Amino acid sequence: MVNDTIDTVNKLQTALLLAEVFVSGLPKFTPYLKFEQRFQEWGLEKGWGENAERCKETLNFLSEVLQAPDPINMEKFFSRVPSIFNIVVFSIHGYFGQEKVLGLPDTGGQVVYILDQVRSMEEELLQRIKLQGLHITPKILVLTRLIPDSKGTKCNVELEPVENTKYSHILRVPFKTEDGKDLRQWVSRFDIYPYLERYAQDASTKILDILEGKPDLIIGNYTDGNLVASLMSSKLGVTQGTIAHALEKTKYEDSDTKWRELDQKYHFSCQFTADMIAMNTTDFIITSTYQEIAGSKEKPGQYEHHYAFTMPGLCRYATGINVFDPKFNIAAPGADQSVYFPFTQKQKRLTALHPQIEELLYSKEDADEHILADRSKPIIFSMARLDKVKNITGLVEWYGQNKKVRDLVNLVVVAGLLNAAQSKDREEIDEINKMHNLIDKYQLKGQIRWIKAQTDRVRNGELYRYIADTKGAFVQPALYEAFGLTVIEAMNCGLPTFATNQGGPAEIIVDGVSGFHINPMNGREAGTKIADFFQKCKEDPGYWNKMSTAGLQRIYECYTWKIYATKVLNMGSMYGFWRTLNKEERVAKQRYLQMFYNLQFRNLVKTVPRVGEQPPRAAATTGAAAERNQIVARPRERKPQGRVQRMMTSLLGPKPPTYEQNGYR
Ligand SMILES: *[C@@H]1O[C@H](CO)[C@@H](O)[C@H](O)[C@H]1NC(C)=O
Ligand SMILES: *[C@@H]1O[C@H](CO)[C@@H](O)[C@H](O)[C@H]1NC(C)=O
Ligand SMILES: *[C@@H]1O[C@H](CO)[C@@H](O)[C@H](O)[C@H]1NC(C)=O
Ligand SMILES: CC(=O)N[C@H]1CO[C@H](CO)[C@@H](O)[C@@H]1O
């Protein structure tokens, strides 16, 4: 944007002033080419904007920053600086692909999330590049593992274009065995550590080759992706962001103090060390909620858990990650709006799917217990995994107990399987049996429809809208919900939503304004709240529309992929700038981290057997391996209560010291 001829702040300020006065006199839409020469005379190069108006704004933002560098001006300016064109996203473990991968071990929501994220970032990049008057082609690479034994997926293909993008690709790089061959089979995310260092080198080489240079931003996902992103960003000197919404440490009870017992199975010693290295190396951390960082009054956040902890006999983190560090940022994901759009968009509605949806909701076949007798009532709807944390059975119980709700609405639940004999998961079997018992106990026949889990995203989108046509509502009764993607989906479809006040939904919904909070531990109160809503809708039909619209408004203001992409690219630009400051401090920290990596992490990695090797200590029994595979296939969400407080009090005393107490500046 600025030529070398401008080498002092004074010269820059003068140039900005001259140029700003000049473009102010031009018609707004005068293209940059028309006055490019004048800009160059003042020492200004391309990148200020595609036309006079845009240039004027950018010039003005920089003038403001030079006069008063407050956060708002900084963000405005850095959102305009075209500093990011090539992005690399690491999501290494599991089967990462666009077809036939969901449900394979270690492969699930993160794939959809990353692909949506990549699409939105590409769109945003293209728009920014155009608005700044540049002609540069961006590139985004999603780096994952190439798995030769690909189980009928494309995970054995090196380069695959990302659907609905122009410049984004999945790049797959294989793991290597010790004698340098490609490792053929899938590796559990818990056993992945011996391969990562080599992978980082091989991946870097490939990336430099394909991008014909360094990327401008590297984003990691999960422990393995974040560690490799850290190695690569340190080596190449590139801005790094990390995402780890599912930090493993918080999911397993006492996983720090009991690390020794668990290590053979999970290798938490490697994992938590890698997490600490990545958190400490990265320039910024992306979370989806505030609670993920610092928790709530009752519960510490995921990252807060990493502030201080001890792994007896291994190490003690006295000040691990400081949750008040400015590297923490919130950028919540959205829902794919081509799938989840409002029920009011009549021309886009997938009416061809209605016969199938009606069959799901009303048919008599293979659901003889659960036929809705009165089809004219609105439907309250819930969709989730059938496990304890999601507490779908809790919802059925509140419904059963609340006569008023039962009179006003039908209940439709999409969850798990209906036949316990078909399930292999112990927790699901318990919940299935509980469901059947509750339906009997409260004599819910005629008022409830229980449908087994549905995986067709497109049809599920239309299902939400179909429920909205009945003037119903979505209910998310989980005991704890880290983010709440279904809440976002329902709200995107215009379905008024009641969601748990434990976790992400507490932030997504403003209670009584854009939806409702319910306390999952107080079914009576939740039932009353739902009954009141439908009573009010009966008396005032405008009320339902009002809540539906308010929910949508909340989404459009805070929870779309577009907003996400804007935020993440702004972070890349802003933290990329901060990197250039405080070099000495950074170098010192980097040395410390390198030492930590070499002396601690590498040794821990040696305790993890490679595929086909015997573990260094006792051999893993078949039983343990089987159990591990089960956990891999279906990770448990953390138990929300009790443990957290116990840990905190046993390790830290009441709460970690605060920002001020620590004397941080
Ligand atoms: C800086 O300006 C001079 C003179 O206009 C030009 O020759 C040179 O290419 C410019 N440098 C850059 C980096 O654009
Ligand atoms: C980085 O690690 C050091 C050593 O554990 C710690 O003192 C510091 O607080 C960490 N900083 C961040 C931002 O994580
Ligand atoms: C589910 O919700 C019910 C009703 O609020 C509650 O009594 C029950 O304890 C919850 N289930 C679990 C597993 O905590
Ligand atoms: C395995 C894992 O933690 N993957 C995470 C990658 O990032 C997405 C989006 O934040 C998370 O949902 C996944 O949990």
Side-chain angles (χ1 to χ4, degrees):
M1 295 165 89
V2 174
N3 194 302
D4 297 344
T5 52
I6 295 184
D7 50 9
T8 67
V9 174
N10 271 343
K11 281 190 200 164
L12 179 60
Q13 277 177 318
T14 312
L16 292 177
L17 199 65
L18 287 171
E20 208 180 323
V21 171
F22 172 75
V23 285
S24 303
L26 295 176
K28 279 186 185 178
F29 297 110
T30 313
Y32 179 76
L33 272 180
K34 286 255 156 68
F35 52 88
E36 181 171 27
Q37 224 173 347
R38 293 298 294 273
F39 264 48
Q40 277 174 345
E41 282 164 28
W42 292 314
L44 301 176
E45 301 288 342
K46 278 197 194 68
W48 293 91
E50 58 170 351
N51 58 31
E53 173 75 359
R54 185 87 183 169
C55 285
K56 188 181 123 189
E57 284 169 9
T58 315
L59 291 162
N60 180 260
F61 291 158
L62 181 54
S63 299
E64 296 268 335
V65 167
L66 293 175
Q67 281 160 31
D70 64 44
I72 294 169
N73 285 329
M74 293 288 276
E75 178 149 5
K76 273 190 192 158
F77 177 66
F78 279 104
S79 70
R80 294 289 179 92
V81 178
S83 57
I84 299 176
F85 305 102
N86 294 332
I87 303 178
V88 168
V89 180
F90 279 103
S91 180
I92 303 172
H93 66 256
Y95 294 82
F96 194 102
Q98 304 178 85
E99 275 164 48
K100 296 186 248 168
V101 294
L102 291 184
L104 287 172
D106 266 1
T107 309
Q110 81 267 25
V111 174
V112 178
Y113 174 100
I114 299 236
L115 293 173
D116 280 351
Q117 177 196 40
V118 164
R119 284 185 198 107
S120 64
M121 288 199 303
E122 183 184 296
E123 230 168 87
E124 180 73 17
L125 274 177
L126 286 171
Q127 193 191 8
R128 286 184 180 208
I129 290 170
K130 180 179 170 292
L131 286 174
Q132 292 314 108
L134 296 171
H135 302 277
I136 293 174
T137 309
K139 284 199 189 110
I140 303 182
L141 293 177
V142 180
L143 258 289
T144 187
R145 225 201 111 187
L146 187 143
I147 310 178
D149 291 345
S150 62
K151 299 245 188 304
T153 69
K154 285 197 185 155
C155 295
N156 56 352
V157 176
E158 184 175 72
L159 199 62
E160 181 187 344
V162 175
E163 285 158 22
N164 302 322
T165 66
K166 282 199 193 123
Y167 310 109
S168 303
H169 288 83
I170 300 171
L171 173 62
R172 301 192 180 89
V173 174
F175 282 172
K176 294 288 184 187
T177 61
E178 263 175 319
D179 47 11
K181 298 210 184 75
D182 290 0
L183 182 71
R184 300 200 59 81
Q185 62 270 60
W186 165 83
V187 181
S188 153
R189 68 184 194 280
F190 293 115
D191 302 337
I192 210 168
Y193 301 100
Y195 304 98
L196 294 179
E197 192 172 311
R198 173 73 190 266
Y199 180 87
Q201 290 162 5
D202 295 348
S204 300
T205 313
K206 274 268 182 265
I207 291 167
L208 292 175
D209 199 27
I210 292 188
L211 298 180
E212 295 167 359
K214 291 197 282 187
D216 306 305
L217 174 63
I218 302 177
I219 299 175
N221 185 249
Y222 196 69
T223 309
D224 50 355
N226 287 330
L227 184 76
V228 170
S230 305
L231 292 175
M232 187 169 160
S233 90
S234 310
K235 191 167 155 214
L236 302 180
V238 174
T239 314
Q240 181 196 358
T242 61
I243 309 175
H245 303 197
L247 288 167
E248 225 63 58
K249 181 171 175 300
T250 37
K251 287 205 243 164
Y252 296 84
E253 194 155 352
D254 302 329
S255 52
D256 44 7
T257 48
K258 292 190 183 150
W259 72 274
R260 250 185 228 286
E261 290 157 48
L262 297 167
D263 220 44
Q264 225 187 70
K265 206 150 99 187
Y266 299 113
H267 309 295
F268 285 145
S269 60
C270 282
Q271 180 150 33
F272 301 167
T273 309
D275 281 336
M276 288 310 284
I277 290 173
M279 285 176 205
N280 208 320
T281 316
T282 192
D283 295 287
F284 62 97
I285 297 176
I286 305 166
T287 73
S288 26
T289 63
Y290 174 80
Q291 298 193 24
E292 198 181 317
I293 310 169
S296 61
K297 267 190 208 134
E298 297 88 36
K299 255 184 233 132
Q302 262 198 67
Y303 283 95
E304 209 172 355
H305 274 281
H306 292 74
Y307 177 75
F309 63 96
T310 303
M311 298 175 86
L314 183 63
C315 62
R316 183 170 102 87
Y317 293 93
T319 55
I321 185 81
N322 168 17
V323 292
F324 297 99
D325 194 287
K327 68 167 69 168
F328 279 102
N329 291 273
I330 302 167
D336 182 343
Q337 288 176 328
S338 65
V339 174
Y340 306 100
F341 55 84
F343 74 103
T344 46
Q345 294 186 358
K346 290 258 154 41
Q347 71 296 352
K348 279 169 76 182
R349 291 286 300 268
L350 308 170
T351 43
L353 294 175
H354 284 194
Q356 287 175 32
I357 288 175
E358 277 158 20
E359 199 175 313
L360 272 184
L361 289 175
Y362 302 116
S363 86
K364 295 205 171 21
E365 268 137 69
D366 54 60
D368 39 68
E369 312 185 62
H370 328 117
I371 309 278
L372 299 176
D374 181 356
R375 281 209 199 185
S376 66
K377 285 188 202 169
I379 289 173
I380 56 174
F381 175 55
S382 197
M383 177 153 66
R385 273 200 322 269
L386 194 56
D387 61 19
K388 274 195 190 131
V389 174
K390 299 291 181 189
N391 207 12
I392 293 283
T393 47
L395 170 63
V396 173
E397 186 148 29
W398 318 335
Y399 181 81
Q401 288 167 345
N402 194 315
K403 181 167 182 316
K404 203 164 158 208
V405 177
R406 288 174 68 168
D407 287 345
L408 285 165
V409 294
N410 289 320
L411 175 62
V412 172
V413 164
V414 174
L417 293 164
L418 276 63
N419 183 349
Q422 288 168 1
S423 176
K424 290 196 189 73
D425 185 292
R426 219 178 306 143
E427 196 176 313
E428 189 179 68
I429 293 171
D430 286 350
E431 293 290 297
I432 293 173
N433 291 332
K434 209 162 150 193
M435 282 287 274
H436 287 295
N437 291 340
L438 287 169
I439 292 171
D440 280 348
K441 178 173 168 195
Y442 294 104
Q443 298 181 345
L444 293 176
K445 279 183 198 170
Q447 294 179 313
I448 187 174
R449 176 78 167 184
W450 175 17
I451 302 165
K452 74 168 188 217
Q454 299 294 313
T455 52
D456 182 339
R457 252 162 41 109
V458 172
R459 194 168 73 189
N460 286 346
E462 192 57 30
L463 179 57
Y464 284 117
R465 289 184 288 272
Y466 194 97
I467 306 284
D469 291 337
T470 75
K471 299 285 171 235
F474 186 73
V475 184
Q476 209 278 21
L479 298 171
Y480 180 81
E481 177 65 58
F483 180 61
L485 220 42
T486 52
V487 170
I488 297 274
E489 290 167 3
M491 288 167 78
N492 260 293
C493 295
L495 198 52
T497 299
F498 293 79
T500 178
N501 61 5
Q502 300 297 307
E507 285 171 49
I508 299 171
I509 290 172
V510 181
D511 188 27
V513 178
S514 41
F516 301 94
H517 291 168
I518 47 179
N519 177 352
M521 291 316 287
N522 190 341
R524 196 173 300 270
E525 188 190 274
T528 310
K529 219 163 166 174
I530 296 172
D532 288 351
F533 172 74
F534 283 102
Q535 187 60 40
K536 211 163 158 187
C537 290
K538 222 173 174 178
E539 289 154 15
D540 169 14
Y543 185 60
W544 189 94
N545 285 329
K546 190 179 142 219
M547 289 312 293
S548 164
T549 314
L552 272 167
Q553 197 183 340
R554 176 77 179 162
I555 292 288
Y556 296 151
E557 279 166 8
C558 306
Y559 296 97
T560 66
W561 279 115
K562 163 96 185 138
I563 296 171
Y564 176 95
T566 307
K567 282 190 178 170
V568 170
L569 291 185
N570 285 356
M571 287 174 209
S573 181
M574 183 89 93
Y575 289 93
F577 167 71
W578 287 118
R579 268 179 83 82
T580 63
L581 309 178
N582 300 329
K583 280 223 172 87
E584 266 168 49
E585 214 175 283
R586 272 226 348 264
V587 171
K589 191 170 104 176
Q590 213 169 343
R591 281 204 196 106
Y592 161 78
L593 285 165
Q594 263 161 14
M595 190 170 76
F596 192 47
Y597 180 89
N598 288 322
L599 299 180
Q600 180 86 328
F601 184 72
R602 275 194 169 151
N603 284 331
L604 292 170
V605 170
K606 287 186 192 136
T607 67
V608 183
R610 288 172 168 256
V611 172
E613 259 177 22
Q614 289 297 306
R617 267 170 291 161
T621 65
T622 352
E627 200 177 334
R628 180 178 60 208
N629 282 339
Q630 201 185 359
I631 286 161
V632 166
R634 267 190 74 142
R636 284 280 140 258
E637 297 218 3
R638 65 176 182 168
K639 274 203 234 139
Q641 291 167 295
R643 180 178 88 250
V644 155
Q645 282 92 333
R646 275 206 313 279
M647 276 186 49
M648 293 300 289
T649 33
S650 68
L651 289 177
L652 306 174
K655 265 231 147 191
T658 63
Y659 194 81
E660 293 80 14
Q661 284 165 350
N662 241 338
Y664 281 107
R665 264 176 296 128

